[in-house]
């Protein structure tokens, strides 16, 4: 990217740094705040459905403030820029260290630009294992003079505020479409949608209620341990990620495909056929998919149930749409309520209740439903186009901003060369501070560990002594501090033990407080 002559490119790691998060053990997680705990930030917490998690506050954690800039480090979210929350962050996130006087929001907006995003996502190894500092050594950042940085940030703030307003207005559309789809399906399964059809064909409203298991020839779930069969090509491997909410279509877009080459009968047990219905039975329960056409050799994993409706007796598409309704979701929630673990058993799937009209009416319902849902699909396509347009406009604005097209040189601005020297000096100071802090923490840990050994050795010696007492010289001989001649630390431990009610110190002279003897207090732990 071409930049103005008075700007300068510089390596990411020459002026910035990143610090990875920590990963407390899951058994330490709690869902509600308690004294002595802190919010653990994970990538999902920066989305629409955060899951608050708290962990015990320790010096092993890494911390961030609300205005800190974080980056998702690996996986499908790699490169995502996160901000606006304080707490401790996990290993899937890194914090960007931005030395003063560099404008923090200038860096924030640049990291959202295509220049940085494409660089990070193009690294296949980083996408799997997470990027590190070395991956950023060769990445160049355009730096403008400081006053110009402030001007660019001000312009971008104003433009992006309008983008956010547009996104919030558009965000209502998916909810409205979901309501519309459910309204159509509700009318379909209640008989309202085909009321006129029954009148025209002189058909009575006599629907039959049956269990799903009664109208199927097979209900099963996928096998486990598919990881050993993963391949770059071969049979399709259908996961919950291929199923879509509010739709019975299976997502087979190229970027969402996985492949396997099973070599056992157990794996091939769930070979999919056209008209098979799929139901998610773990995690987000009750997402439906219908194999609407021949997709070739394909299998499912253990998180999905396969439902094969009896051929010729029922319209499979009608059954799939029926399973998509809120009526069935309510059934599913009631069925799973008895389980300790949130999930559906095959028996639960078997017992889902279905209202069945005649086969001709099922076919008519499907025809009408698909005509009505087509309108929702068209509206959704327009919504997606609008959101993509906003994303493209944002990328375009950022490209202009960081090529100098949105700003002008300021007469009183100091040169970028001078600014960079200040930034490098501040970066070096921050790095030295971190090193000193790490050294202090290591010393504290070492001292605490040594203190624990001294306490144990002294108490053990006292317990084994017939008189339950010993001279200070004897205690010094069994002390770990003797090796380094750390007398003051040894005496501090004796004070600590007395305060905890474990020993009693005796003095040769009350005035000088010279300890001569220590005695174990009865029943001391």
């Amino acid at each position: 990217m071409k930049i103005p002559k008075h700007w300068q490119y510089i390596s990411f790691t020459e002026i910035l740094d990143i610090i990875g998060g920590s990963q407390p053990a899951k058994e330490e997680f709690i869902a509600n705040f308690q004294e002595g705990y802190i919010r653990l930030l994970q990538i999902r917490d920066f989305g629409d459905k955060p899951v608050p998690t708290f962990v015990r506050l320790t010096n092993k954690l890494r911390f961030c403030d609300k205005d800190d800039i974080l980056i998702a480090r690996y996986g499908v979210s790699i490169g995502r820029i996160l901000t606006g929350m304080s707490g401790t962050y996990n290993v899937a996130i890194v914090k960007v260290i931005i030395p003063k006087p560099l404008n923090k929001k200038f860096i924030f907006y640049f990291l959202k630009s295509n220049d940085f995003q494409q660089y990070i996502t193009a690294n296949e190894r980083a996408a799997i294992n997470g990027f590190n500092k070395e991956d950023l050594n060769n990445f160049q950042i355009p730096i403008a003079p400081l006053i110009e940085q402030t001007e660019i940030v001000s312009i971008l703030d104003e433009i992006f505020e309008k983008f956010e307003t547009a996104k919030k207005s558009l965000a209502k559309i998916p909810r409205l479409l979901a309501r519309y789809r459910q309204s159509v399906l509700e009318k379909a399964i209640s008989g309202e949608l085909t009321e006129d059809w029954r009148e025209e064909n002189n058909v009575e409203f006599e629907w039959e209620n049956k269990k799903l298991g009664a109208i199927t020839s097979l209900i099963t779930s996928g096998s486990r341990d598919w990881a050993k069969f993963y391949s770059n090509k071969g049979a399709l491997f259908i996961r919950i990620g291929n199923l879509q909410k509010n739709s019975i279509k299976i997502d087979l877009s190229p970027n969402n495909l996985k492949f396997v080459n099973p070599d056992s009968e157990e794996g091939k047990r769930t070979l999919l056929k056209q008209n098979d219905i799929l139901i998610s039975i773990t995690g987000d329960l009750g997402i439906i998919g219908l194999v609407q056409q021949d997709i070739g050799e394909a299998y499912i994993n253990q998180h999905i149930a396969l439902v094969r409706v009896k051929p010729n007796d029922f319209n499979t598409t009608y059954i799939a749409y029926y399973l998509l309704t809120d009526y069935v979701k309510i059934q599913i929630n009631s069925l799973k309520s008895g389980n300790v673990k949130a999930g559906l058993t095959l028996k639960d799937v078997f017992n889902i209740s279905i209202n069945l009209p005649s086969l001709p009416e099922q076919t008519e319902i499907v025809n009408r439903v698909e005509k009505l849902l087509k309108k929702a699909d068209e509206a959704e396509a327009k919504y997606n186009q609008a959101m993509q347009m906003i994303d493209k406009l944002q990328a375009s604005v950022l490209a202009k901003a960081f090529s100098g097209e949105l700003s002008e040189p300021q007469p009183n601005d100091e040169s970028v060369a001078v600014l960079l020297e200040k930034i490098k000096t501040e970066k070096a100071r921050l790095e030295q501070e971190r090193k000193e802090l790490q050294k202090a923490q290591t010393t504290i840990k070492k001292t605490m560990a040594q203190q624990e050994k001294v306490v144990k050795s002294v108490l053990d010696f006292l317990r084994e002594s017939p008189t339950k007492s010993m001279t200070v010289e004897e205690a010094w001989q069994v002390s770990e501090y003797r090796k380094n001649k750390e007398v003051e630390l040894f005496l501090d431990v004796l004070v600590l033990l007395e305060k905890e009610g474990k020993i009693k110190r005796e003095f040769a002279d009350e005035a000088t407080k010279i300890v001569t003897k220590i005695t174990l207090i009865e029943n001391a732990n």
Side-chain angles (χ1 to χ4, degrees):
M1 180 170 62
K2 189 176 180 182
I3 58 173
K5 290 181 180 178
H6 64 288
W7 287 29
Q8 187 174 325
Y9 271 117
I10 190 164
S11 164
F12 184 107
T13 51
E14 277 193 70
I15 59 170
L16 303 176
D17 200 353
I18 58 171
I19 298 179
S22 52
Q23 191 61 49
K26 283 191 175 182
E27 52 266 25
E28 297 176 9
F29 291 7
I30 61 172
N32 298 300
F33 175 74
Q34 290 182 16
E35 196 67 35
Y37 280 72
I38 188 171
R39 177 76 180 268
L40 174 65
L41 300 177
Q42 303 173 77
I43 294 171
R44 65 188 181 190
D45 294 320
F46 294 87
D48 296 331
K49 296 181 179 180
V51 182
T53 302
F54 299 87
V55 295
R56 190 178 295 280
L57 192 57
T58 72
N59 60 7
K60 294 180 181 179
L61 302 177
R62 301 287 173 79
F63 305 100
C64 64
D65 295 322
K66 280 188 176 182
D67 65 340
D68 280 330
I69 297 169
L70 312 173
I71 309 176
R73 192 178 174 195
Y74 53 73
V76 294
S77 298
I78 187 171
R80 184 177 163 196
I81 308 304
L82 316 167
T83 191
M85 299 182 76
S86 62
T88 181
Y89 54 100
N90 74 356
V91 292
I93 297 172
V94 297
K95 179 171 75 172
V96 184
I97 306 300
I98 304 173
K100 294 178 180 179
L102 196 54
N103 189 305
K104 189 175 280 191
K105 285 204 79 175
F106 180 85
I107 297 300
F108 168 76
Y109 279 121
F110 179 74
L111 295 177
K112 290 173 76 74
S113 73
N114 278 349
D115 263 27
F116 180 75
Q117 291 296 314
Q118 289 173 0
Y119 179 85
I120 286 295
T121 55
N123 187 331
E124 290 184 11
R125 181 198 57 76
I128 298 170
N129 301 316
F131 66 83
N132 52 41
K133 200 179 300 185
E134 288 69 32
D135 294 317
L136 300 171
N137 282 340
N138 297 323
F139 182 71
Q140 301 288 305
I141 297 179
I143 299 297
L146 193 58
I147 297 176
E148 195 171 345
Q149 286 181 30
T150 305
E151 181 191 357
I152 289 168
V153 166
S154 178
I155 292 168
L156 290 177
D157 279 346
E158 185 178 348
I159 294 172
F160 272 72
E161 185 178 354
K162 292 176 181 177
F163 284 142
E164 288 306 309
T165 300
K167 283 184 175 181
K168 284 179 182 177
S169 297
L170 289 170
K172 301 172 186 175
I173 293 174
R175 292 194 295 271
L176 293 172
L177 290 175
R179 264 187 239 152
Y180 169 78
R181 287 183 172 112
Q182 277 301 318
S183 174
V184 169
L185 294 174
E186 186 180 334
K187 289 178 180 179
I189 68 167
S190 67
E192 183 181 345
L193 191 62
T194 46
E195 186 176 359
D196 61 331
W197 180 87
R198 288 194 300 276
E199 289 177 1
E200 290 171 8
N201 291 274
N202 197 24
V203 174
E204 293 293 325
F205 184 47
E206 295 177 346
W207 288 23
E208 189 176 5
N209 183 270
K210 289 190 175 184
K211 300 292 186 187
L212 184 59
I215 65 170
T216 57
S217 60
L218 176 67
I219 294 180
T220 189
S221 60
S223 304
R224 297 177 181 273
D225 301 325
W226 278 96
K228 59 187 176 185
F229 300 128
Y230 286 171
S231 174
N232 292 326
K233 58 182 180 179
L236 288 176
F237 187 50
I238 307 298
R239 301 150 294 123
I240 290 180
N242 297 107
L243 307 183
Q244 305 180 78
K245 293 182 179 180
N246 303 314
S247 175
I248 61 172
K249 296 174 183 175
I250 298 173
D251 178 11
L252 296 177
S253 50
N255 63 345
N256 197 28
L257 295 183
K258 297 288 181 184
F259 301 95
V260 289
N261 280 313
D263 61 1
S264 68
E265 288 305 313
E266 171 59 21
K268 294 180 179 180
R269 177 178 56 82
T270 55
L271 177 65
L272 295 181
K273 296 181 180 180
Q274 187 172 347
N275 291 322
D276 280 349
I277 297 173
L278 310 180
I279 306 175
S280 62
I281 55 174
T282 67
D284 203 342
L285 305 179
I287 308 176
I288 306 301
L290 175 64
V291 183
Q292 294 177 298
Q293 59 194 28
D294 184 359
I295 58 174
E297 188 180 1
Y299 302 91
I300 56 172
N301 66 10
Q302 73 271 22
H303 304 295
I304 296 176
L306 184 160
V307 176
R308 190 164 290 158
V309 176
K310 291 177 182 177
N312 306 320
D313 294 339
F314 306 96
N315 187 306
T316 306
T317 307
Y318 169 82
I319 305 299
Y321 278 129
Y322 196 101
L323 294 171
L324 195 63
T325 63
D326 284 344
Y327 171 71
V328 170
K329 284 185 174 64
I330 292 169
Q331 287 189 62
I332 285 173
N333 288 331
S334 66
L335 287 168
K336 73 161 185 174
S337 63
N339 295 337
V340 175
K341 184 179 178 182
L344 292 176
T345 65
L346 296 181
K347 183 180 178 182
D348 293 332
V349 176
F350 184 99
N351 285 324
I352 292 174
S353 178
I354 303 281
N355 289 326
L356 293 164
S358 64
L359 186 56
E361 189 169 357
Q362 290 177 35
T363 303
E364 182 63 23
I365 288 171
V366 168
N367 291 337
R368 295 190 179 197
V369 164
E370 292 190 334
K371 283 180 183 178
L372 293 169
L373 293 187
K374 186 179 179 182
K375 296 177 182 178
D377 291 342
E378 290 170 352
E380 187 171 41
K382 289 179 181 177
Y383 159 78
N384 289 332
Q385 288 171 3
M387 292 297 286
Q388 288 168 8
M389 180 60 70
I390 291 175
D391 289 341
K392 287 180 181 177
L393 287 172
Q394 285 180 332
S396 174
V397 168
L398 290 172
K400 288 179 183 294
F402 293 104
S403 61
E405 294 182 43
L406 300 185
S407 57
E408 296 290 337
Q410 301 297 312
N412 298 324
D413 230 346
E414 65 184 3
S415 71
V416 172
V418 172
L419 174 62
L420 289 176
E421 284 306 311
K422 290 181 179 179
I423 293 168
K424 289 177 182 178
T425 300
E426 177 64 8
K427 180 174 183 283
R429 187 188 69 79
L430 292 174
E431 286 175 349
Q432 185 60 33
E433 269 188 8
R434 283 203 301 277
K435 287 177 183 178
E436 289 173 0
L437 178 61
Q438 287 171 354
K439 185 178 179 180
Q441 287 175 337
T442 301
T443 302
I444 290 169
K445 287 178 186 176
K446 184 178 177 181
T447 302
M448 288 176 68
Q450 196 174 24
Q451 190 181 72
E452 286 177 9
K453 284 185 179 180
V454 173
V455 167
K456 187 176 185 304
S457 61
V458 170
L459 289 177
D460 286 348
F461 195 93
L462 283 169
R463 290 188 186 106
E464 292 171 6
S465 169
T467 60
K468 305 299 181 190
S469 64
M470 62 175 145
T471 65
V472 171
E473 287 77 8
E474 288 173 323
W476 173 252
Q477 290 302 316
V478 298
S479 163
E480 283 281 324
Y481 290 126
R482 179 176 56 81
K483 297 175 184 176
N484 299 317
K485 300 181 180 180
E486 296 169 308
V487 178
E488 287 186 10
L489 289 175
F490 167 70
L491 294 175
D492 285 344
V493 168
L494 298 185
V495 173
L496 175 66
L497 286 171
E498 187 172 60
K499 283 182 178 179
E500 290 179 349
K502 294 178 179 178
I503 68 167
K504 178 176 173 43
R505 295 180 300 158
E506 295 180 23
F507 304 96
D509 185 338
E510 286 294 330
T512 59
K513 290 289 184 183
I514 297 174
V515 185
T516 58
K517 186 178 180 182
I518 58 175
T519 303
L520 183 72
I521 293 177
E522 195 173 351
N523 299 324
N525 294 325

